[in-house]
Amino acid sequence: MKELIDKLQAERILTKDEFVTLLTSFTDEDSRYLFSKARALTDELFGKKIYLRGVIEFTNYCRNDCFYCGIRKSNRNLERYRLKKEEILACCENGYKLGFRTFVLQGGEDPWYSLDKMIDIVSSIRKAYPDCAITLSIGEKKFEEYEQLFQAGANRYLLRHETADFNHYQKLHPPNLKAENRQRCLRDLKKIGYQVGPGFMVGSPYQTPENIVEDLLFIKELDPHMVGIGPFIPHKDTPLAPFPQGSLELTLILLGILRLMLPNAMIPATTALGTVHSKGRELGILAGANVVMPNLSPVEVRDKYSLYDNKICTGEEAAECRFCLENRIKGIGYEIVVDRGDYRRIVQ
Ligand code: 5AD
Ligand code: FES
């Protein structure tokens, strides 16, 4: 497989068949080869720097009913919460002192936060923290709504496409949710000027190697600024609870592949990766990731933002996670930087 990995690095893309071959016949030696190439490329472009994003999970209400997600509307086993604007701003203040220069407002699709309310929240953060990036992760909206939030001061948007295959998408979502609309949202966001981050779960129920290849080709075509992937982790109160967890190894391999495909991209070692293995985030960095996204939400609400079971860091204060990660990252020879960590086209 070394030839295919070399070809991927040289051309930053493979054919569908080559990708399938690569994904289905990986040996341990291939992974080591891939990780060392991906890591060397990341080091060359970013040095030993790891970028921080502070995630504020401001509402766990959601109008949607995705079959895999713990905060789906049909989960009656969950205490719901909403943070007030003042509470969100307090998270930012705490985060700023801890060296965060990107705030990610993440929530379920919660209509209680009307466009006007979101504009007010975003412009208040923009005004108080002119030197920080604001990332939104609040789901599918109309072009005009995305546009107004951008004008209010948001810079980036995370919206995982979840799976590029329309049939697979329908096995993970109710009929009112459509892959096509999600992909439309990503293209709209990019057109407006947001830095965008699609992504998918590794090992989601019914996922085939061909589906993953579709995901890689979709991402390549979108040419995003960020990509978020993590293993699927079952949540006990969802219809997909009986399915097995996604594989750590495959997630790491895909991080390496994504780095070779999109050298400039900001790629997080996600919380889900840290949940399936105690050193998951460190391994993610060593496979090509260059971002970590600790939680800035108030400790009282953390365990309620339960997308999947056994999520890490729900009992820790923001400062504890900040220093925990600092040590972990130092331990593998990297350093967290105080920087917005904007996407830059470092290599063509
Ligand atoms: N396991 C792993 N990731 C999940 N997400 C939602 N539910 C799960 C789960 N059970 C991911 C989705 C979503 C992101 C916010 O979290 O990909 O886009
Ligand atoms: Fe939260 Fe380590 S990152 S405790």
Side-chain angles (χ1 to χ4, degrees):
M1 282 312 108
K2 287 196 176 156
E3 306 72 45
L4 281 182
I5 297 169
D6 289 339
K7 181 172 178 205
L8 177 61
Q9 172 150 44
E11 304 190 0
R12 297 195 193 140
I13 191 72
L14 295 176
T15 66
K16 223 180 228 189
D17 290 345
E18 287 170 335
F19 267 133
V20 173
T21 309
L22 190 60
L23 287 180
T24 52
S25 48
F26 245 90
T27 64
D28 287 351
E29 199 187 325
D30 294 328
S31 330
R32 280 195 294 275
Y33 188 69
L34 171 68
F35 299 155
S36 71
K37 292 233 154 196
R39 195 59 253 169
L41 178 60
T42 318
D43 288 356
E44 184 190 320
L45 299 182
F46 299 94
K48 292 280 179 180
K49 297 187 166 82
I50 299 297
Y51 295 90
L52 265 187
R53 282 81 168 87
V55 183
I56 304 167
E57 298 158 336
F58 69 97
T59 172
N60 71 349
Y61 281 86
C62 191
R63 64 173 172 191
N64 293 333
D65 224 9
C66 305
F67 302 154
Y68 46 84
C69 183
I71 68 167
R72 66 199 302 268
K73 74 165 172 219
S74 296
N75 183 5
R76 297 277 132 71
N77 246 329
L78 180 68
E79 196 185 318
R80 305 279 173 168
Y81 72 90
R82 293 185 173 110
L83 298 187
K84 298 191 201 61
K85 181 171 97 171
E86 293 67 35
E87 294 174 302
I88 298 174
L89 284 163
C91 294
C92 296
E93 189 183 342
N94 187 20
Y96 193 89
K97 288 189 197 135
L98 292 168
F100 289 84
R101 294 297 178 269
T102 293
F103 303 120
V104 182
L105 295 182
Q106 180 163 91
E109 288 197 12
D110 180 0
W112 187 87
Y113 294 88
S114 61
L115 182 62
D116 285 349
K117 280 207 189 84
M118 282 314 300
I119 289 176
D120 180 40
I121 293 169
V122 170
S123 26
S124 303
I125 301 176
R126 174 50 60 236
K127 192 159 161 242
Y129 303 97
D131 56 330
C132 293
I134 302 174
T135 304
L136 296 177
S137 179
I138 52 176
E140 299 177 26
K141 292 184 178 294
K142 299 195 191 87
F143 185 93
E144 293 71 27
E145 296 176 307
Y146 286 145
E147 205 170 32
Q148 290 184 52
L149 289 164
F150 187 77
Q151 281 157 6
N155 315 97
R156 308 184 190 140
Y157 209 103
L158 304 179
L159 187 75
R160 291 191 176 175
H161 67 285
E162 309 298 358
T163 171
D165 183 282
F166 286 21
N167 289 320
H168 184 220
Y169 194 90
Q170 267 5 105
K171 294 184 179 157
L172 303 176
H173 302 91
N176 67 314
L177 297 177
K178 293 280 180 265
E180 200 176 1
N181 193 53
R182 219 158 164 89
Q183 297 184 10
R184 185 273 304 162
C185 288
L186 281 162
R187 295 185 212 284
D188 283 355
L189 288 160
K190 197 174 172 200
K191 202 177 299 162
I192 292 165
Y194 283 93
Q195 297 172 40
V196 299
F200 60 95
M201 292 179 288
V202 178
S204 62
Y206 312 106
Q207 185 182 57
T208 63
E210 287 75 16
N211 292 154
I212 297 178
V213 174
E214 292 293 331
D215 289 325
L216 294 175
L217 296 175
F218 169 77
I219 290 170
K220 185 68 186 183
E221 204 249 322
L222 181 67
D223 191 21
H225 311 84
M226 309 169 281
V227 186
I229 65 166
F232 163 74
I233 305 171
H235 185 293
K236 59 180 176 16
D237 299 316
T238 63
L240 299 177
F243 284 82
Q245 180 173 291
S247 131
L248 167 78
E249 290 73 24
L250 183 55
T251 307
L252 296 173
I253 287 166
L254 287 164
L255 285 170
I257 289 177
L258 285 166
R259 173 59 64 204
L260 296 185
M261 287 174 63
L262 301 169
N264 301 303
M266 305 305 285
I267 303 180
T270 54
T271 306
L273 192 57
T275 297
V276 297
H277 187 284
S278 61
K279 291 271 152 60
R281 288 168 298 180
E282 290 91 322
L283 292 168
I285 289 168
L286 296 171
N290 64 335
V291 171
V292 284
M293 303 179 66
N295 200 315
L296 284 181
S297 313
V299 177
E300 309 85 74
V301 304
R302 283 191 186 200
D303 61 336
K304 302 188 182 85
Y305 202 83
S306 53
L307 305 180
Y308 45 81
D309 290 336
N310 309 314
K311 189 171 165 210
I312 53 168
C313 300
T314 56
E316 276 75 16
E317 292 284 352
E320 294 179 74
C321 286
R322 168 68 176 78
F323 295 112
C324 166
L325 272 170
E326 172 114 66
N327 288 330
R328 286 167 175 268
I329 285 167
K330 268 191 197 146
I332 53 168
Y334 288 81
E335 57 160 348
I336 286 180
V337 290
V338 178
D339 191 299
R340 279 173 53 126
D342 277 301
Y343 172 88
R344 291 187 304 131
R345 198 169 283 280
I346 307 169
V347 287
Q348 275 310 311

